[in-house]
Amino acid sequence: MKTILSINYKFFEISPKEFIDIVVKNDKQNLIRGFEAVTKSKDEEEYLKKFTKIASDNGYIVNLHAPSLCNVEQYESYLDFAVEISKIQRRKVNIVFHPINADSLEESKKVTNCYVTELTEYIAENKYNEYIELSLENLNDFEKIKRLKKENLIDILNENQDIKFTYDIGHEMMDDMIKKDKLNEILAERLNNVHIHTKGELEDHYPIIEKTEKHTKQVLEKTKQLIESGYNGDIVMEYAIDYIDGKNLKEKLICYINCTKIVLTSV
């Protein structure tokens, strides 16, 4: 098992070459498989294209985490970009997709299912299946907004056979809902991606830097259970750079890289 680093525009302040050089120099044990990237603008997409070429040349993969967009047309345009990322590295790219929030959980399920159905049809029509796949992620409640949990995704997955599942254990920890039970059969069957992180006083996406704190233990124990149950896919350390130690971006990136050892010696 290898880990994936989650990156966004805050990491893009250094050139793609310098970024990858830092990773290569500090990933001496070859523990990092690649990156899961979020982009929210055309400039960021151009950066990621250059980044993907250099990362791929150095043996790293790049997957994507779709931003929250306003309509199906915007998501279709994003899928076009994702295909470019796939072709650069000559491999199929996984795209994490957030459920759509609506006025109620039932309405959120309905709207999300419509989006997913339209996007899978777009993928099929454009023969994108060999380049990209969608992976639906469970969310935590945010302030007073009720968002779709993993159990809410089961019906959507049943209706859309090509959709995978991203299990965000950190989101489940935020809602204090981590259980020792094994995943539902459909969730386990479609599981292709795992997100881990812990939390501060209010926010999530804090790094796992030690093994004994209550919430950290819950996340690591659940991750270990998945692996012992046969999961051998990617483990994405979805950490926000603001919460990673370091005086500057380079120091933070090195600290982020070193966090992989804590995870891999715990699971």
Side-chain angles (χ1 to χ4, degrees):
M1 183 197 77
K2 292 186 179 181
T3 51
I4 300 286
L5 303 186
S6 172
I7 61 174
N8 61 14
Y9 73 97
K10 293 186 178 181
F11 289 87
F12 299 171
E13 294 177 11
I14 56 178
S15 72
K17 184 180 186 306
E18 183 181 1
F19 190 121
I20 296 300
D21 284 347
I22 292 171
V23 176
V24 170
K25 181 178 179 180
N26 291 276
D27 181 26
K28 297 184 187 300
Q29 296 176 266
N30 195 28
L31 302 177
I32 296 169
R33 181 169 185 246
F35 311 89
E36 185 176 278
V38 181
T39 57
K40 295 184 178 181
S41 70
K42 292 301 180 183
D43 285 345
E44 291 175 22
E45 289 180 1
E46 289 304 314
Y47 176 97
L48 193 66
K49 291 176 190 177
K50 297 174 184 175
F51 178 91
T52 300
K53 175 65 168 63
I54 297 171
S56 181
D57 287 346
N58 283 273
Y60 296 105
I61 70 167
V62 176
N63 285 327
L64 298 173
H65 191 310
S68 296
L69 301 172
C70 296
N71 53 55
V72 170
E73 290 72 26
Q74 288 182 353
Y75 279 109
E76 289 175 348
S77 177
Y78 181 81
L79 295 184
D80 296 338
F81 158 69
V83 170
E84 292 186 65
I85 295 298
S86 170
K87 290 180 177 179
I88 289 170
Q89 55 189 314
R90 297 187 179 92
R91 58 172 290 275
K92 194 169 189 175
V93 169
N94 186 64
I95 307 170
V96 178
F97 183 82
H98 272 192
I100 309 300
N101 297 325
D103 292 336
S104 67
L105 289 177
E106 283 304 312
E107 185 65 18
S108 294
K109 284 174 61 176
K110 181 179 178 181
V111 174
T112 299
N113 192 54
C114 287
Y115 268 66
V116 166
T117 300
E118 290 194 47
L119 293 178
T120 53
E121 289 174 354
Y122 183 78
I123 290 171
E125 289 169 3
N126 289 276
K127 297 181 172 59
Y128 282 172
N129 304 75
E130 64 180 295
Y131 301 110
I132 57 177
E133 63 184 4
L134 298 183
S135 187
L136 197 56
E137 178 182 6
N138 61 296
L139 302 178
N140 60 295
D141 292 338
F142 182 72
E143 295 179 348
K144 294 183 179 180
I145 302 173
K146 297 293 184 181
R147 305 196 295 178
L148 297 186
K149 312 296 185 292
K150 67 180 190 299
E151 292 78 13
N152 303 126
L153 305 181
I154 294 172
D155 290 341
I156 299 172
L157 293 175
N158 275 323
E159 291 188 37
N160 297 273
Q161 297 300 313
D162 291 332
I163 300 297
K164 303 297 183 180
F165 170 50
T166 288
Y167 185 11
D168 193 310
I169 302 174
H171 283 164
E172 203 163 66
M173 174 273 299
M174 286 293 292
D175 285 332
D176 197 26
M177 292 180 63
I178 293 181
K179 301 176 182 178
K180 294 184 178 179
D181 302 2
K182 289 186 177 181
L183 285 177
N184 165 278
E185 184 177 355
I186 185 82
L187 295 176
E189 178 185 312
R190 303 286 185 84
L191 179 65
N192 78 331
N193 198 38
V194 171
H195 286 177
I196 62 171
H197 48 88
T198 185
K199 69 174 184 176
E201 291 185 9
L202 297 174
E203 301 89 359
D204 60 352
H205 298 291
Y206 271 71
I208 293 173
I209 56 176
E210 49 86 17
K211 308 174 187 179
T212 57
E213 188 269 333
K214 173 187 172 183
H215 298 107
T216 294
K217 286 178 66 176
Q218 289 179 332
V219 171
L220 291 174
E221 286 172 0
K222 191 64 183 182
T223 305
K224 185 175 182 179
Q225 182 190 49
L226 292 177
I227 293 169
E228 290 175 345
S229 296
Y231 177 72
N232 62 357
D234 295 326
I235 304 292
V236 181
M237 302 191 307
E238 198 180 28
Y239 304 164
I241 191 172
D242 294 343
Y243 308 139
I244 298 173
D245 289 339
K247 297 177 182 178
N248 53 50
L249 180 54
K250 181 177 179 180
E251 288 186 6
K252 286 175 175 287
L253 181 52
I254 292 171
C255 181
Y256 195 1
I257 293 164
N258 290 333
C259 285
T260 59
K261 300 170 188 175
I262 297 168
V263 172
L264 293 176
T265 57
S266 303
V267 298

